[in-house]
Amino acid sequence: MMAAELGLDPIEVHRKNLIHPGYFRKGHEMTPWDTEIASTHFVECLDGVVQKSGWKEKRGKMGPYRGIGLGVATFGGATTGKIDSINFQAGGSGNITHNPIMAITKVNADGRVTLLTGESDLGQGSNSTMAQIAAEELGVSQDDITVIAADTALTPFDHGSFGSRVTVNVGHVVREAAADAKRQLLKAIAELSEVGEEEIDIKGGQVYVKGRSESAMPFSEALKKIQRADKLPIAGTFRYYPPEYFSHLPAVSSPACYVQAAEVEVDPETGKVKVLRMTYAEDCGTKINPIRVEGQMEGCLQMGVGSAISEGYILDEGQQLNASFLHYGFVTSVDMPEIASADVEGMDPRGPYGAKEAGEGGTCPAPPAIIDAIYDATGVWIKQLSVTSESVLKALEEKRSKDKKGK
């Protein structure tokens, strides 16, 4: 709105104001809201969306009642602050404890690995992500990892699946637990092979002496030898308080960066807004599972588009009139716009294998991008969500009235 009022290029306004390491204070990457900026690829996301969406060719040039708009957002996620729990004792008194995160990686004689973690897979695919991290660290296949998650009778404590924290915070503890198991494995193999631990490695499910490819042995066979030597079980563990593990870092991780462009068509007779196309780019660090990140982003776009043009509570004296999924206004598959991705790959020094938050923050840029696109299409700003046909018609009528008076 400011750029439009002042006749500035909104892309250049964004470019000058995008956060980056050192943005807030020289030599200090902390934001006012206690987020450490160790990495951003905001400019790459912006440039990618501008190019992929055809922004320069379309902005202000799409014809009557069609327009393109842009929205940007960051999302910290991966909260690392200590979470307090009250342990009540007899008589009603209690004491506050700080619970650490913990994972256990147990290597079995049959060549499989059991990962025990308290994190909960709510549908975001975190079990598979944790299996990937453990497999990468151990040098075996993801298929060799069995994940037991969120079973309070078996698994260690975890704070929960919220705040986009699982991949970053739990990913670290899983990686460290797998590394602990690997160290024990290499020690046991070295004792049996009469070579130094530093000379042995495990990759691709093969145990081998470095520089001697002919020495390669399947992981399962190596475990059989360890079992016969009575050196099993092997269980790698790790536990930590995030603020202590990241002693030089603040309460949350580097923010993920999101840029989205929306193309819309507005019916001047009815005020109905149709979202035609969404182009997005996200800097979530290393994409441990690119397909899952893509799925997360498509889900974010579905929620963002819905919150912009269709979702919302209808209340009458405190009574919700649309209290069902049928009437609430979810965007369904038939309502979804075309989706295009401007692929950006980053690397954050804080996350496991360079990963950052990926998911929640992707809902944020869609509504402002759609509002901006409506302005480009009609010349009017809609200042509330969701955008209704009535609000668009009212704004158009007010604009026509002002235009007539101006003439």
Side-chain angles (χ1 to χ4, degrees):
M1 292 175 70
M2 179 198 71
E5 182 73 20
L6 299 177
L8 302 175
D9 182 347
I11 299 300
E12 292 310 309
V13 172
H14 277 304
R15 192 184 304 280
K16 291 178 180 179
N17 288 279
L18 295 176
I19 60 173
H20 54 78
Y23 175 89
F24 289 95
R25 295 198 296 277
K26 186 176 181 181
H28 194 76
E29 283 76 35
M30 294 285 287
T31 70
W33 55 93
D34 199 29
T35 300
E36 186 252 359
I37 304 175
S39 71
T40 64
H41 291 79
F42 233 148
V43 172
E44 292 88 339
C45 289
L46 181 66
D47 290 343
V49 168
V50 166
Q51 181 178 0
K52 189 80 173 182
S53 66
W55 172 273
K56 293 180 180 178
E57 295 78 23
K58 294 176 180 177
R59 180 71 171 183
K61 306 171 187 175
M62 294 185 69
Y65 301 105
R66 294 188 67 166
I68 186 171
L70 193 85
V72 305
T74 63
F75 194 91
T79 301
T80 61
K82 293 178 181 178
I83 296 180
D84 296 337
S85 65
I86 304 294
N87 290 333
F88 288 101
Q89 300 171 347
S93 62
N95 65 300
I96 296 177
T97 61
H98 300 297
N99 292 309
I101 309 169
M102 184 177 179
I104 301 170
T105 305
K106 181 175 176 291
V107 182
N108 306 311
D110 61 358
R112 296 191 58 79
V113 178
T114 301
L115 171 63
L116 295 102
T117 170
E119 60 85 15
S120 178
D121 192 326
L122 304 175
Q124 78 276 35
S126 59
N127 282 356
S128 295
T129 300
M130 296 304 109
Q132 282 182 269
I133 291 173
E136 180 71 18
E137 194 65 27
L138 281 166
V140 299
S141 167
Q142 183 182 345
D143 294 335
D144 296 325
I145 310 293
T146 299
V147 178
I148 299 177
D151 184 335
T152 54
L154 300 174
T155 59
F157 176 82
D158 185 75
H159 294 149
S161 296
F162 61 89
S164 290
R165 59 172 293 279
V166 173
T167 297
V168 177
N169 288 357
V170 183
H172 274 300
V173 78
V174 167
R175 183 177 183 180
E176 294 279 15
D180 182 32
K182 185 176 182 179
R183 283 190 292 270
Q184 296 179 53
L185 281 168
L186 295 180
K187 180 179 180 181
I189 294 168
E191 290 175 355
L192 294 176
S193 306
E194 297 182 350
V195 295
E197 295 174 40
E198 70 283 354
E199 300 178 59
I200 307 172
D201 201 0
I202 307 171
K203 282 186 179 179
Q206 300 286 313
V207 180
Y208 64 96
V209 177
K210 296 175 183 177
R212 289 167 50 188
S213 57
E214 73 282 359
S215 68
M217 177 189 305
F219 184 68
S220 57
E221 290 299 317
L223 285 179
K224 288 178 182 178
K225 289 191 173 185
I226 295 173
Q227 183 186 33
R228 286 195 291 268
D230 199 24
K231 294 183 180 294
L232 287 181
I234 286 176
T237 63
F238 188 74
R239 56 186 288 156
Y240 76 129
Y241 297 114
E244 294 175 1
Y245 185 76
F246 304 113
S247 59
H248 62 296
L249 297 171
V252 292
S253 69
S254 298
C257 309
Y258 298 92
V259 179
Q260 294 172 14
E263 295 177 37
V264 305
E265 183 177 54
V266 180
D267 187 330
E269 301 299 323
T270 65
K272 182 176 176 59
V273 177
K274 182 177 182 180
V275 181
L276 305 173
R277 191 171 191 255
M278 295 293 297
T279 305
Y280 74 88
E282 83 291 337
D283 165 28
C284 60
T286 302
K287 298 173 184 176
I288 291 179
N289 190 312
I291 293 176
R292 190 167 295 118
V293 171
E294 182 180 351
Q296 286 275 51
M297 284 305 305
E298 290 178 355
C300 287
L301 289 170
Q302 184 266 345
M303 290 187 284
V305 170
S307 67
I309 64 171
S310 64
E311 296 182 26
Y313 293 110
I314 302 173
L315 299 176
D316 182 16
E317 296 183 353
Q319 179 67 43
Q320 186 178 349
L321 303 183
N322 61 335
S324 72
F325 288 164
L326 179 63
H327 300 104
Y328 174 71
F330 286 117
V331 172
T332 68
S333 58
V334 297
D335 305 310
M336 281 294 288
E338 177 188 347
I339 296 175
S341 170
D343 190 50
V344 174
E345 184 81 13
M347 200 283 178
D348 184 71
R350 244 292 308 268
Y353 299 111
K356 294 196 283 188
E357 184 271 339
E360 284 187 271
T363 63
C364 301
I370 291 168
I371 293 291
D372 188 30
I374 294 172
Y375 169 78
D376 189 45
T378 64
V380 299
W381 290 109
I382 307 299
K383 300 177 183 177
Q384 73 281 328
L385 297 177
S386 63
V387 177
T388 63
S389 297
E390 291 80 6
S391 64
V392 173
L393 282 177
K394 182 180 179 181
L396 287 173
E397 289 170 3
E398 291 175 351
K399 181 176 183 297
R400 291 182 189 121
S401 177
K402 287 181 181 179
D403 290 344
K404 286 180 181 180
K405 290 179 180 180
K407 290 181 179 179

